[in-house]
Amino acid sequence: MEMLLSTKGITICLFFFVLTLAAAIEIPLSVVQLPTITEQSHTQVAYPFDEDFTIKCEARGNPQPTFNWTKDGKPFDLLSDPRIVASNNSGTFVIQNRGIITNFQGKYRCFASNVLGTAMSEEIELIVPSVPKFPKEKIEPLDVEHGDSVILHCNPPKGIPPLHIYWMNIDLQHIPQDERVSMSLKGDLYFANVEENDSRSDYCCFAAFPRLRTIVQKMPMTLKVSRFKHANDSSSPNAAVTKANFIKERKPKLLIPPESAGSSSSVTVIKGGVLLLECIAEGLPTPHLSWVKVTGNLPKDEPETENFGKILKIDQVTTADEGTYQCTASNPMGRAKHEFHVHVEEPPRWIKEPEGGVYSIGTNLVLLCEAIGNPEPTIQWKLNGMPIDSRTFRGRISAREISLTNLQLQDSAVYQCEASNKHGTILASANVNVLNIAPLILTSDGENYATVVGYSAFLHCEIFASPAADIRWTKDDSIEPLSTLRYELNKNGTLEIKETKKDDSGSYACWAANSVGKRAITANLDIRDATKLVVTPKNPRVLKSHSILLKCQSEYDSHLKHSFKLSWRKDGDELPVNSTEGGRIILDRDTLFVSSVTLEDQGVYRCVASTSLDSVTAESQLIVLDVPDPPEDLRLSEHQNRSVRLSWKAGASHNSPVNESIIEFEENRWEPGRWQELTRVPGNDTTALLSLAPYVNYQFRVVSVNAVGRSQPSKPSLRYATPPAAPDKNPENIRVEASEPNEMVMKWEPLKPVERNGPGLEYKVSWRQRGVEADWNEETVKKHSLTLRNTPTFVPYEIKVQAVNNLGSGPEPNVTIGYSGEDVPDAAPSGVSVDIVNSTLVKVFWFGIPRDRVRGHLRGYKVSWWKTKSMLDGKRHHPEKHFLTFVGDRNYGMIPGLEPFSEFRLTVLAYNAKGDGPESSPVVFETPEGVPEQPRFLRILNFDKDSVTLSWGLPKKANGHLTGYILQYQIINETHEIGPLNDISVTNRSTLSWRLSGLSSSTKYKFYVKACTVKGCGKPVTEEGLTMAQGTYAGIYDGISTQGWFIGLMCAIALLTLLLLTICFVRRNKGGKYSVKEKEDLHPDPEAQSIKDEIFGEYSDSDEKPLKGSLQSINGDIKATESADSLVDYGEGEHGMFNEDGSFIGAYSGSKEKGSVESTGSSTATFPLHA
């Protein structure tokens, strides 16, 4: 690269940065440098159960440092004991736990040295604990009197803290402690005064050392408590007993602190530690301990007390906790006090540590060292681990500062600053490396970098140099500086290109130079397309229990395909790739499917796309809609006789605002447990004034409604009972129902339970005959009906019903008109006559019966008719009655569906709710001839090349005298072309076959045959056929029968026929039956087909399906007068052919042998087709 610089002769005046490299980067190990301690041990305990103990000391430097140790300030030779195992090129050593190792206890310090200087570690204390033991001793029993104060001393052995002391008996049960009996911080058991039940011989003190995994026990102690001699003892006078008891009762006396300590004492505590102040007193009655801070209030967080108030404890002590604290022991006999003067001190801590670094020749050095503590720490400077002699040191030295001017290479050294007070020592080291080297570029040459459009690119050029180097960047072959605002040179030499563009791709060079030399490296930068993401749908709103599919659509640079990854997060937490919650949430790379959405699924879903160069996110907030939560906290206020105010708190609306609230009530007198709607409150109101009925014990609940649905009901409110009152309303829907002619049953709708208004509800019924001057008849009943007997038939009455309860009557009731019981009419209609409309329809007229002969409400008239004989053959028929009902008071009606050319008889009667009246005298009428029905069949008997013979059957019903047949035919090709229709009239009614000639060969024809009477022609029967080809008629079968394919086809047909017969036989043997439809399809019968067409008014052939519902016959025989008749003229038949309003609702039926109705003829699909 130096050759590159000189050959191109580049003089670069670009970015000029003077970098303080020592502070920016670590000195490369390839550069000569001072030793630096990188790892060391701290205070260590040599536990007896450990196999060995490691004392660590590691350092780096160039040349490689050598190590030596001191112990308690004196040189320590690692080879002095075979149990010490040292490490090569390291200061670390291991002490094996063999034999007595107490001589290893002490404070160690590690020194790492090379030709430039010496680094020193902090002190490392190794503690070799002894196994704690209680001394074997014989403890004399203690004999005391009731009320005395006693101390049982534990005196635990020394060991590694923490120390836990327990007082237990020989059965390892804890000695109960309270305000009278308690243990001090030192472990002694104090009795403020003893009682007789304190006597026992197994007071044992246990000392536990968890870090040593050791528990030791002191020898059991015996305590005997005896009472004073009783008053009935002859050797003790009463005066002695009284005097003794008086002496035992005493004021408190402090045992801790002891009286010898005086009324006050000083306590020192380390800042950040725990302050424990202890007061234990004796006395009778048992003293009570309390604490106050004399020089100020106790801290805001009131300190806790322990051991039944005998210990004051403050955690995390600060200087604010300094001051005087007073404990007071008190009982009815007096009190004792002690003051603690608390001083807060702290070990040294750094304010300013000396900072080393890399310095060039001729520069100046200033090292600062400041520490604080209480007491104030002393500062000592060391050079390469040795105290500095100010007489020989060429620089200036003070307690807080060292300075040197005009540094030279030989000034490289390790400076140590040590701050100490009685609570500890801290050490800080500063390596001063004075170097004079050319720039050393630590970043590899030819590095390849890549980033995406819009992101920043960082091209690294990590440099170490002393003196500091100037760093410059160029691009491609240009010598121009990269000087725009988008380029920024960081202190560590890295070039940052902000908001990169495609044209930032290329080759870059980093140049570094100082007074000693110069270096350069190149770097290549590629700019890729940025990754883009879109999540659809955006912020969907989904109903609970429904499903949602989120799609993450992405675009990324093709070069980043292999590093491209997609993941999903919900509210910041990554969702697992595999399906969760039993398959309810399924992740499939770019899709997220959530089925049966719950409220917990609501949140922000982020799709995260990452490549090796960028990471982008797109989010969609899933909003789950659900019914509201039930309202809460129902309260009643403003209590009135007829109203109360209900208030509540609305539940969560779940993203759909509450539209209204439904207030329901339940009462426990009439219908307990049944909730009924009372009122509705619009919007999100949470209060309503409720109108109430008297004499109801209400409780209420509220249901919230939003666009999703109704919430669950709230919990019920408290009950509220309204006082009784007289009824506010009378019964409604008053009516008269009668089953017998001389009877009248008055009925009404009873009041609802909430309308009773009070106890003792009854109904006062009043009635009188209308138009007759008479007083009201009255009767009071509890049920909601009243029956009157021996009333005249169908007479109007005035009726009133009034509600009455124990508190009064309801309002004045309205008068209702009702009629007494009905009887059947006793007269028949007169003047019955019949007008013939056509062959199947007649119009009947009659005179209605007088109103007084109806004997009830006239419902209408019934017309009955029956066929007596056929006019065609004169045969008599068994009379089969049919009827139609005509509702209301009318005098005519239309009778459809009659058989043409037949004789009928007809009667008319009136009817009411009670039944039918007598029939009128029969009227005889005859229907005229009509058009015949369809011929039974049409067959093609013989087809020739230009002629055909047709045969047909008689119509099932001629409906008159046949006059002949109309034969029609036309060409129908496969191309759907239709030829003209040709007509042939057959006037001989006995002719049932015809030969047509003059037809085209090899042509498909459709043939029609219909029967005719004087009234016209009926529906045609049709058939299709194909004429033979020219010259092939005679020998066509001979030619085919010799072909191999024909023989094979015939064999296959025979085999299939045999298979079908076998299946039919098996099904019949198993009891299976063919449906009627199957039989008709397998065995078509022309007669049966004709009957079907008559009954259902439909016709279809193999070509065309009928158009159902057509009202036009083949010949269009319905006259204008027929179609103009109103449908209201038709009555109601046995099967409800017409409604009361005359609307047609179904085909008329009732006769086993029905005549065809022309107005419901065949569809237009069977009409002759005209070209």
Side-chain angles (χ1 to χ4, degrees):
M1 289 305 300
E2 288 187 23
M3 186 177 293
L4 178 64
L5 282 168
S6 57
T7 16
K8 293 201 172 182
I10 299 174
T11 304
I12 303 173
C13 300
L14 306 178
F15 291 102
F16 182 80
F17 280 83
V18 178
L19 304 178
T20 309
L21 293 172
I25 60 174
E26 193 177 78
I27 305 174
L29 199 54
S30 59
V31 176
V32 175
Q33 59 187 283
L34 290 161
T36 303
I37 301 293
T38 57
E39 184 180 7
Q40 74 159 85
S41 297
H42 297 280
T43 301
Q44 188 158 337
V45 178
Y47 295 109
F49 42 79
D50 290 337
E51 293 184 0
D52 51 46
F53 322 107
T54 301
I55 309 296
K56 288 185 179 180
C57 179
E58 303 292 340
R60 66 189 293 270
N62 187 3
Q64 174 70 33
T66 59
F67 297 88
N68 55 76
W69 288 84
T70 62
K71 175 176 178 287
D72 297 327
K74 298 178 181 179
F76 179 70
D77 186 3
L78 299 183
L79 301 176
S80 62
D81 194 303
R83 291 174 292 179
I84 299 176
V85 180
S87 304
N88 293 330
N89 298 322
S90 170
T92 300
F93 65 92
V94 177
I95 301 174
Q96 296 176 339
N97 191 1
R98 299 200 309 266
I100 299 173
I101 60 171
T102 53
N103 59 312
F104 288 112
Q105 179 164 308
K107 295 182 179 181
Y108 294 79
R109 195 185 290 272
C110 171
F111 295 87
S113 306
N114 65 12
V115 295
L116 298 180
T118 300
M120 180 177 69
S121 74
E122 296 178 3
E123 279 190 339
I124 304 169
E125 184 177 7
L126 177 62
I127 301 172
V128 182
S130 59
V131 178
K133 292 181 181 178
F134 277 106
K136 291 186 178 180
E137 58 181 332
K138 183 179 180 182
I139 304 174
E140 295 294 330
L142 285 176
D143 289 323
V144 295
E145 292 184 348
H146 186 281
D148 287 346
S149 169
V150 174
I151 303 173
L152 299 182
H153 296 284
C154 180
N155 297 325
K158 292 183 179 181
I160 300 296
L163 166 65
H164 302 297
I165 299 177
Y166 308 96
W167 282 90
M168 293 186 283
N169 60 20
I170 202 68
D171 297 325
L172 300 183
Q173 294 179 337
H174 288 275
I175 302 298
Q177 297 187 29
D178 52 23
E179 201 169 34
R180 183 179 65 86
V181 181
S182 59
M183 184 180 71
S184 70
L185 291 174
K186 290 183 178 181
D188 297 333
L189 190 64
Y190 285 78
F191 294 79
N193 51 78
V194 293
E195 297 176 353
E196 204 167 1
N197 56 7
D198 292 328
S199 297
R200 61 187 315 130
S201 60
D202 56 353
Y203 282 96
C204 299
C205 178
F206 290 84
F209 300 89
R211 294 177 66 184
L212 294 176
R213 306 175 190 175
T214 301
I215 299 178
V216 292
Q217 175 190 346
K218 187 169 184 173
M219 296 296 292
M221 289 175 267
T222 300
L223 176 64
K224 295 180 180 179
V225 180
S226 59
R227 273 201 167 274
F228 295 117
K229 293 179 180 180
H230 294 288
N232 56 7
D233 192 333
S234 60
S235 61
S236 287
N238 291 338
V241 174
T242 305
K243 183 178 179 181
N245 286 337
F246 177 77
I247 292 174
K248 291 296 182 185
E249 284 192 353
R250 59 196 181 278
K251 70 176 184 177
K253 174 186 176 183
L254 288 175
L255 302 177
I256 297 179
E259 281 189 340
S260 58
S263 61
S264 65
S265 58
S266 294
V267 177
T268 300
V269 62
I270 301 298
K271 183 179 180 181
V274 179
L275 171 64
L276 295 173
L277 301 180
E278 183 178 34
C279 276
I280 296 179
E282 62 93 1
L284 185 68
T286 302
H288 172 74
L289 271 297
S290 61
W291 294 86
V292 294
K293 189 175 182 183
V294 177
T295 57
N297 296 327
L298 287 172
K300 290 182 179 178
D301 296 331
E302 186 173 340
E304 58 180 303
T305 58
E306 296 181 349
N307 199 18
F308 310 101
K310 300 176 183 180
I311 296 174
L312 178 70
K313 180 179 180 182
I314 300 177
D315 291 316
Q316 297 294 320
V317 170
T318 65
T319 53
D321 296 318
E322 279 192 334
T324 300
Y325 295 81
Q326 185 184 79
C327 75
T328 303
S330 59
N331 70 4
M333 307 302 296
R335 63 183 59 194
K337 298 180 181 181
H338 188 86
E339 290 185 349
F340 296 91
H341 302 294
V342 176
H343 305 281
V344 178
E345 297 185 354
E346 63 175 319
R349 59 185 176 90
W350 293 118
I351 297 298
K352 181 70 175 179
E353 294 184 57
E355 294 181 359
V358 176
Y359 297 85
S360 57
I361 294 176
T363 57
N364 299 327
L365 167 69
V366 176
L367 297 178
L368 300 176
C369 182
E370 294 183 38
I372 61 171
N374 188 6
E376 184 176 346
T378 58
I379 303 293
Q380 182 182 19
W381 286 96
K382 292 184 179 182
L383 179 66
N384 294 325
M386 302 299 292
I388 298 177
D389 187 352
S390 58
R391 294 172 298 177
T392 58
F393 184 63
R394 79 176 188 89
R396 295 178 58 188
I397 183 170
S398 66
R400 297 185 178 183
E401 180 180 312
I402 281 182
S403 62
L404 281 172
T405 59
N406 191 22
L407 288 173
Q408 301 300 313
L409 293 176
Q410 60 270 22
D411 290 323
S412 295
V414 180
Y415 289 84
Q416 290 97 8
C417 178
E418 213 167 34
S420 305
N421 68 9
K422 65 179 183 179
H423 299 297
T425 300
I426 53 176
L427 174 69
S429 297
N431 286 17
V432 176
N433 288 278
V434 182
L435 300 174
N436 191 45
I437 60 174
L440 180 63
I441 300 182
L442 306 179
T443 304
S444 301
D445 190 15
E447 286 281 353
N448 294 314
Y449 299 90
T451 189
V452 296
V453 174
Y455 279 58
S456 291
F458 295 90
L459 308 184
H460 300 299
C461 185
E462 190 174 359
I463 295 173
F464 182 82
S466 181
D470 297 337
I471 301 176
R472 302 167 178 83
W473 283 88
T474 62
K475 182 185 178 189
D476 297 330
D477 295 329
S478 172
I479 63 173
E480 294 299 321
L482 299 176
S483 57
T484 64
L485 294 176
R486 288 199 308 117
Y487 300 101
E488 182 175 329
L489 185 61
N490 296 333
K491 286 186 177 181
N492 60 3
T494 298
L495 175 66
E496 179 182 357
I497 307 174
K498 300 178 180 179
E499 298 178 2
T500 55
K501 305 174 183 177
K502 277 286 189 179
D503 55 11
D504 288 325
S505 296
S507 178
Y508 292 79
C510 172
W511 312 84
N514 66 4
S515 59
V516 184
K518 50 192 172 183
R519 293 284 189 275
I521 61 168
T522 60
N524 301 309
L525 176 62
D526 288 324
I527 306 297
R528 308 296 189 196
D529 290 327
T531 306
K532 298 178 182 178
L533 279 186
V534 174
V535 175
T536 56
K538 186 72 171 176
N539 303 335
R541 299 169 69 86
V542 182
L543 290 175
K544 181 184 175 185
S545 301
H546 285 222
S547 300
I548 181 65
L549 177 68
L550 296 178
K551 179 77 173 176
C552 186
Q553 299 170 335
S554 59
E555 291 182 11
Y556 53 89
D557 194 289
S558 59
H559 296 88
L560 306 176
K561 178 178 181 181
H562 298 293
S563 66
F564 179 77
K565 291 181 181 178
L566 270 181
S567 63
W568 288 89
R569 294 178 177 270
K570 178 182 180 290
D571 297 332
D573 297 327
E574 186 165 356
L575 295 173
V577 175
N578 297 328
S579 61
T580 61
E581 298 185 27
R584 197 178 63 81
I585 302 177
I586 300 174
L587 274 74
D588 184 12
R589 188 171 170 80
D590 61 346
T591 60
L592 172 63
F593 179 72
V594 184
S595 61
S596 301
V597 170
T598 66
L599 293 174
E600 289 72 23
D601 294 325
Q602 180 168 294
V604 177
Y605 289 81
R606 287 184 175 86
C607 177
V608 182
S610 61
T611 66
S612 57
L613 298 181
D614 66 344
S615 177
V616 293
T617 63
E619 65 182 41
S620 180
Q621 184 173 10
L622 175 61
I623 301 170
V624 180
L625 306 178
D626 194 12
V627 299
D629 284 344
E632 300 174 340
D633 194 20
L634 273 63
R635 298 173 182 269
L636 298 177
S637 60
E638 301 179 22
H639 302 75
Q640 302 293 330
N641 290 347
R642 295 287 187 110
S643 68
V644 71
R645 180 170 293 280
L646 176 66
S647 304
W648 62 91
K649 291 181 181 177
S653 64
H654 297 308
N655 303 308
S656 179
V658 174
N659 299 328
E660 64 176 354
S661 298
I662 301 173
I663 300 174
E664 299 176 335
F665 75 92
E666 181 264 354
E667 51 81 26
N668 59 2
R669 181 175 286 113
W670 313 108
E671 296 177 286
R674 177 173 175 259
W675 288 92
Q676 306 172 59
E677 183 175 322
L678 179 62
T679 187
R680 297 192 176 208
V681 178
N684 55 2
D685 290 349
T686 56
T687 182
L689 187 63
L690 308 179
S691 296
L692 306 180
Y695 197 54
V696 178
N697 191 14
Y698 286 97
Q699 69 173 347
F700 307 97
R701 70 183 187 186
V702 184
V703 176
S704 296
V705 183
N706 63 7
V708 181
R710 297 169 59 133
S711 72
Q712 290 293 317
S714 67
K715 292 181 180 179
S717 68
L718 297 176
R719 287 201 174 269
Y720 178 61
T722 54
D728 293 327
K729 62 180 295 187
N730 292 315
E732 298 175 346
N733 193 20
I734 301 170
R735 60 198 181 278
V736 174
E737 297 178 0
S739 58
E740 298 299 331
N742 297 320
E743 180 180 88
M744 183 170 70
V745 181
M746 294 173 284
K747 294 185 177 181
W748 54 91
E749 293 294 331
L751 294 184
K752 297 177 182 177
V754 296
E755 297 172 342
R756 297 179 175 226
N757 285 13
L761 178 69
E762 293 181 324
Y763 301 101
K764 185 173 74 174
V765 185
S766 305
W767 71 93
R768 66 182 179 188
Q769 189 171 332
R770 188 179 184 183
V772 177
E773 292 294 335
D775 294 334
W776 289 92
N777 301 292
E778 292 184 356
E779 186 170 340
T780 301
V781 296
K782 292 185 178 180
K783 57 184 181 179
H784 52 279
S785 66
L786 176 63
T787 301
L788 300 181
R789 305 190 186 278
N790 300 321
T791 58
T793 301
F794 200 63
V795 171
Y797 279 84
E798 293 179 343
I799 303 167
K800 296 189 297 184
V801 181
Q802 186 178 30
V804 179
N805 67 15
N806 293 349
L807 282 85
S809 302
E812 181 64 27
N814 296 325
V815 175
T816 302
I817 305 300
Y819 285 82
S820 57
E822 299 184 27
D823 204 348
V824 297
D826 61 358
S830 59
V832 179
S833 61
V834 177
D835 282 357
I836 305 298
V837 179
N838 58 36
S839 60
T840 62
L841 180 68
V842 299
K843 190 171 186 179
V844 183
F845 296 90
W846 63 86
F847 294 117
I849 65 173
R851 186 171 297 279
D852 60 342
R853 305 295 296 276
V854 176
R855 300 204 291 179
H857 295 288
L858 178 66
R859 293 290 184 88
Y861 292 88
K862 290 182 182 178
V863 178
S864 302
W865 72 94
W866 61 96
K867 181 179 176 181
T868 54
K869 69 177 180 179
S870 171
M871 303 297 293
L872 186 62
D873 53 13
K875 288 183 180 180
R876 291 281 174 180
H877 286 260
H878 178 73
E880 184 177 351
K881 275 194 172 185
H882 310 278
F883 70 91
L884 279 179
T885 300
F886 297 91
V887 179
D889 188 6
R890 56 189 297 169
N891 60 358
Y892 71 93
M894 305 291 287
I895 308 298
L898 302 175
E899 289 189 30
F901 210 42
S902 301
E903 180 186 271
F904 292 89
R905 293 187 179 232
L906 178 145
T907 62
V908 182
L909 62 84
Y911 71 95
N912 60 18
K914 192 65 178 175
D916 297 342
E919 290 183 306
S920 65
S921 299
V923 175
V924 179
F925 66 94
E926 296 176 358
T927 53
E929 292 188 51
V931 297
E933 293 184 359
Q934 188 183 50
R936 294 176 183 270
F937 63 88
L938 173 59
R939 297 192 182 99
I940 302 174
L941 298 181
N942 192 9
F943 244 122
D944 205 344
K945 63 182 179 181
D946 61 353
S947 62
V948 66
T949 301
L950 302 176
S951 174
W952 60 88
L954 291 170
K956 182 178 179 182
K957 290 185 180 180
N959 291 339
H961 297 290
L962 291 177
T963 58
Y965 296 91
I966 298 295
L967 188 153
Q968 298 171 311
Y969 62 96
Q970 63 186 154
I971 295 173
I972 53 170
N973 289 332
E974 297 299 334
T975 58
H976 304 294
E977 294 179 1
I978 300 173
L981 188 67
N982 301 287
D983 292 351
I984 297 176
S985 178
V986 180
T987 57
N988 187 350
R989 64 185 180 184
S990 59
T991 299
L992 296 176
S993 65
W994 195 269
R995 183 170 183 79
L996 291 174
S997 58
L999 304 178
S1000 301
S1001 61
S1002 300
T1003 304
K1004 188 175 183 181
Y1005 283 88
K1006 187 167 186 176
F1007 304 96
Y1008 309 83
V1009 174
K1010 50 188 176 182
C1012 302
T1013 64
V1014 294
K1015 289 292 186 179
C1017 299
K1019 294 186 293 183
V1021 61
T1022 68
E1023 186 59 271
E1024 296 177 3
L1026 182 66
T1027 56
M1028 307 299 292
Q1030 184 72 27
T1032 60
Y1033 176 78
I1036 187 169
Y1037 294 106
D1038 295 338
I1040 294 175
S1041 61
T1042 59
Q1043 299 294 320
W1045 63 268
F1046 181 75
I1047 296 171
L1049 178 63
M1050 291 300 105
C1051 291
I1053 293 173
L1055 183 61
L1056 286 173
T1057 304
L1058 180 62
L1059 182 62
L1060 283 172
L1061 290 174
T1062 303
I1063 293 172
C1064 293
F1065 178 74
V1066 170
R1067 287 186 61 184
R1068 190 172 297 278
N1069 286 347
K1070 286 184 178 179
K1073 296 182 180 180
Y1074 288 102
S1075 66
V1076 174
K1077 182 70 172 66
E1078 288 174 331
K1079 290 181 179 179
E1080 289 179 352
D1081 293 342
L1082 291 173
H1083 308 288
D1085 182 1
E1087 285 194 31
Q1089 182 65 34
S1090 177
I1091 293 171
K1092 179 180 176 183
D1093 292 340
E1094 284 189 27
I1095 293 174
F1096 294 103
E1098 297 179 356
Y1099 171 79
S1100 66
D1101 57 24
S1102 59
D1103 285 310
E1104 299 155 346
K1105 301 297 180 185
L1107 300 176
K1108 297 183 180 180
S1110 172
L1111 296 178
Q1112 185 178 0
S1113 69
I1114 287 255
N1115 292 346
D1117 288 338
I1118 294 182
K1119 307 293 189 296
T1121 55
E1122 299 173 21
S1123 62
D1125 285 329
S1126 171
L1127 288 177
V1128 299
D1129 296 341
Y1130 295 82
E1132 295 180 345
E1134 293 168 339
H1135 300 278
M1137 180 176 179
F1138 295 88
N1139 283 333
E1140 291 184 2
D1141 61 355
S1143 59
F1144 183 85
I1145 64 169
Y1148 169 79
S1149 63
S1151 171
K1152 293 182 179 177
E1153 184 177 319
K1154 298 176 185 175
S1156 65
V1157 180
E1158 290 180 10
S1159 63
T1160 57
S1162 67
S1163 78
T1164 56
T1166 60
F1167 288 0
L1169 303 173
H1170 299 280

